[in-house]
């Protein structure tokens, strides 16, 4: 008993659902399967429950890929404005936060409901709790063995996402299918992820857990972000750290400017004339949380009055506050990562249609590809844009 469809989409996440809607609108007979018991689980947990569904400022510069031009076509064919239009059409209430990020006013569910309602209107079928066991191509058709029988399809769309949050149904199945049809993989790892302390820093720093500070964090190669950092029990988190994790290479150091909006040596020179009797610690609390100021003074063993600081002391303070060298022990990994950096190489994939150049009628969309956005709604926009592009063709 073979189930036969025009288009089979593996993965009922952001990109798979969007592709299904578009393909079904063209009159294609579309089936979306997912091994999970619910569609769009990551959409539901995204953006702290409010789904940061896109960004006002989407450009290729917000994406990482071995081919930085790959995202261009799809992002311009289906842009953030198109998605915002759809959100308005469904009367989903949303608001803009810092850096152009758009979030639902109420709940991520609003975005999932929008997709499921479009899916229904377009007439695509959704089948959950269905595990695909194997895929082969025979006489121009894809034949898939699934936990609920054999499925035959003219077009196959791989929308299985990345490896983050394994408890939400993430799997490497998409990478395996891509490889089976001759695609190469770009080395992948957890990204948009908090860093962990190395053993030397852990003891003293983890006591500061809960503190946050606006910093500029940079990599050895000079990529930098000016955002909030959060000290946690396990390491450093917050938007600054998540953003830089896309650019950090394991083993590398990061440089943190704890006071990016001032020049500490200038402030010290000025203050020591008027407030020479002030403790360094008390002076620093003018710029950072008290516990952090106390921590630094203890670390440098500088329990001194401003007037007593030597030239060397000031040089130490300057380098430690403006260019603190942080050697992460590692990252928290896929357990808490928002995305997978790397994935199926875009080299043998059409940037216009997402169709494989190695296997006719095979499409790859969303996070399974070697395309990773910055934090801020860029990953969902990639899911919408790439899903839309494939949906016009598959
Ligand atoms: P997914 O949405 O992950 O969907 C993949 C689907 O494939 C899943 O339903 C999975 O069950 C299914 N699947 C996997 N393997 C198989 C298999 N073998 N058989 C059948 N089905 C399979 N991005 C933003 O832009 N804004 C945010 O606010 C945001 N917040 C996030 C918060 C968290 C906690 C996480 C983890 C991610 C967040 N992201 C956010 C990233 C965003 O969720 C992803 O980039 C996006 O969901 C990728 O879409 P996708 O369709 O490629 O994959």
């Amino acid at each position: 008993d073979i189930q036969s469809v025009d288009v089979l989409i593996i993965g009922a996440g952001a990109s798979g659902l969007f592709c299904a809607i578009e393909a079904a609108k063209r009159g294609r007979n579309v089936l979306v399967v997912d091994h999970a018991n619910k569609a769009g689980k990551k959409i539901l947990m995204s953006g702290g429950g409010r789904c940061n569904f896109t960004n006002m400022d989407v450009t290729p510069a917000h994406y990482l890929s071995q081919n930085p031009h790959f995202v261009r076509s799809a992002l311009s064919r289906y842009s953030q404005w198109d998605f915002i239009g759809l959100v308005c059409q469904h009367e989903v209430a949303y608001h803009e936060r810092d850096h152009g990020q758009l979030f639902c006013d109420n709940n991520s569910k609003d975005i999932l409901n929008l997709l499921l309602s479009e899916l229904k209107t377009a007439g695509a079928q959704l089948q959950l709790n269905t595990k695909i066991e194997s895929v082969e191509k025979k006489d121009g058709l894809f034949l898939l063995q699934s936990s609920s029988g054999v499925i035959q399809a003219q077009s196959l769309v791989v929308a299985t996402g990345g490896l983050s949050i394994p408890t939400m149904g993430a799997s490497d199945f998409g990478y395996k299918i891509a490889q089976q049809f001759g695609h190469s993989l770009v080395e992948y790892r957890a990204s948009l992820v908090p860093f962990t302390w190395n053993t030397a820093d852990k003891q003293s720093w983890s006591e500061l857990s809960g503190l946050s500070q606006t910093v500029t964090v940079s990599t050895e190669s000079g990529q930098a972000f000016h955002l909030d950092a959060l000290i946690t029990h396990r390491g450093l988190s917050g938007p600054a750290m998540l953003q830089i994790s896309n650019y950090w290479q394991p083993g590398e150091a990061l440089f943190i400017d704890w006071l990016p909006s001032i020049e500490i040596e200038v402030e010290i020179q000025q203050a020591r004339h008027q407030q020479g009797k002030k403790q360094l610690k008390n002076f620093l609390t003018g710029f950072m949380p008290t516990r952090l100021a106390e921590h630094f003074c203890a670390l440098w063993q500088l329990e001194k009055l401003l007037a007593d600081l030597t030239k060397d002391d000031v040089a130490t303070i300057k380098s430690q506050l403006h260019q603190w060298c942080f050697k992460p022990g590692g990252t928290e990994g896929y357990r808490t990562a928002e995305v997978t950096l790397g994935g199926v190489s875009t080299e043998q994939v059409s940037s216009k249609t997402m169709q494989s150049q190695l296997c006719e009628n095979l499409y790859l969309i969303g996070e399974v590809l070697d395309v990773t956005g910055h934090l801020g709604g860029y990953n969902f926009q990639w899911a919408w844009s790439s899903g839309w592009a494939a949906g016009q063709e598959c």
Side-chain angles (χ1 to χ4, degrees), residues 10-16 33-36 38 40-43 45-47 51-53 103 130-132 159-162 164-165 168-171 173 337-339 365-368 376-381 383:
I10 310 178
S15 65
V33 296
D34 202 300
H35 60 179
K38 227 174 169 179
K41 284 193 178 183
K42 268 191 199 161
I43 299 174
M45 73 187 300
S46 69
C51 188
N52 178 193
F53 55 83
F103 285 81
T130 301
K131 190 168 182 263
I132 302 294
T160 47
S164 62
I165 323 280
M168 288 279 118
S171 83
F173 191 63
E338 282 203 9
V339 293
I365 57 174
E367 202 183 309
V368 76
Y378 300 101
N379 286 295
F380 277 136
Q381 185 58 46

Side-chain angles (χ1 to χ4, degrees), residues 23-278:
K25 276 194 207 163
R26 289 171 38 237
R28 301 284 279 164
N29 174 9
V30 180
L31 173 66
V32 193
V33 296
D34 202 300
H35 60 179
N37 58 359
K38 227 174 169 179
K41 284 193 178 183
K42 268 191 199 161
I43 299 174
L44 291 177
M45 73 187 300
S46 69
R50 293 239 164 99
C51 188
N52 178 193
F53 55 83
T54 191
N55 195 290
M56 299 284 276
D57 176 31
V58 177
T59 65
H62 293 103
Y63 293 87
L64 292 88
S65 171
Q66 284 209 333
N67 174 4
H69 299 295
F70 183 80
V71 296
R72 246 169 231 285
S73 167
L75 290 178
S76 68
R77 292 180 75 205
Y78 190 87
S79 71
Q80 72 273 38
W81 310 116
D82 294 311
F83 194 77
I84 295 167
L86 185 64
V87 165
C88 293
Q89 193 189 315
H90 283 257
E91 297 179 348
V92 171
Y94 69 93
H95 61 277
E96 182 179 346
R97 294 196 195 160
D98 289 352
H99 313 288
Q101 307 173 86
L102 300 186
F103 285 81
C104 295
D105 284 357
N106 302 315
N107 198 299
S108 303
K109 243 192 208 156
D110 289 351
I111 297 295
L112 183 58
N113 287 343
L114 174 161
L115 296 171
L116 294 177
S117 130
E118 286 280 324
L119 193 79
K120 202 169 166 201
T121 309
Q125 304 168 66
L126 174 61
Q127 195 175 304
L128 300 167
N129 299 307
T130 301
K131 190 168 182 263
I132 302 294
E133 277 140 16
S134 68
V135 180
E136 61 177 324
K137 199 174 179 194
K138 230 176 173 176
D139 306 326
L141 291 175
F142 292 95
L143 269 183
L144 295 97
Q145 302 287 339
S146 86
S147 53
S148 34
V150 179
I151 309 169
Q152 177 183 291
Q154 288 168 7
S155 293
L156 177 66
V157 182
V158 178
T160 47
L163 292 177
S164 62
I165 323 280
T167 52
M168 288 279 118
S171 83
D172 64 357
F173 191 63
Y175 302 142
K176 292 209 171 118
I177 301 179
Q179 278 183 311
Q180 181 189 331
F181 288 101
H183 285 269
S184 52
L185 301 183
V186 171
E187 199 181 333
Y188 50 87
R189 64 176 160 92
S191 204
L192 294 182
V193 64
F195 293 105
T196 53
W197 299 118
N198 60 48
T199 26
D201 285 336
K202 183 168 172 55
Q203 174 125 42
S204 63
W205 281 90
S206 60
E207 283 167 18
L208 301 175
S209 150
L211 291 186
S212 79
Q213 175 83 355
T214 305
V215 303
T216 296
V217 59
S218 28
T219 59
E220 289 173 9
S221 58
Q223 182 70 38
F225 288 95
H226 177 69
L227 288 164
D228 286 351
L230 173 70
I231 301 174
T232 75
H233 191 69
R234 288 190 290 265
L236 284 176
S237 184
M241 298 304 145
L242 299 191
Q243 293 285 30
I244 206 79
S245 69
N246 268 341
Y247 293 90
W248 174 79
Q249 299 302 326
E252 261 185 18
L254 291 169
F255 298 96
I256 296 179
D257 185 341
W258 291 97
L259 300 173
S261 55
I262 60 158
E263 285 180 54
I264 194 67
E265 71 280 22
V266 174
E267 301 287 335
I268 291 174
Q269 287 318 336
Q270 282 170 1
R272 68 199 300 171
H273 295 301
Q274 293 132 21
Q275 320 169 49
K277 293 241 152 20
K278 196 168 194 173

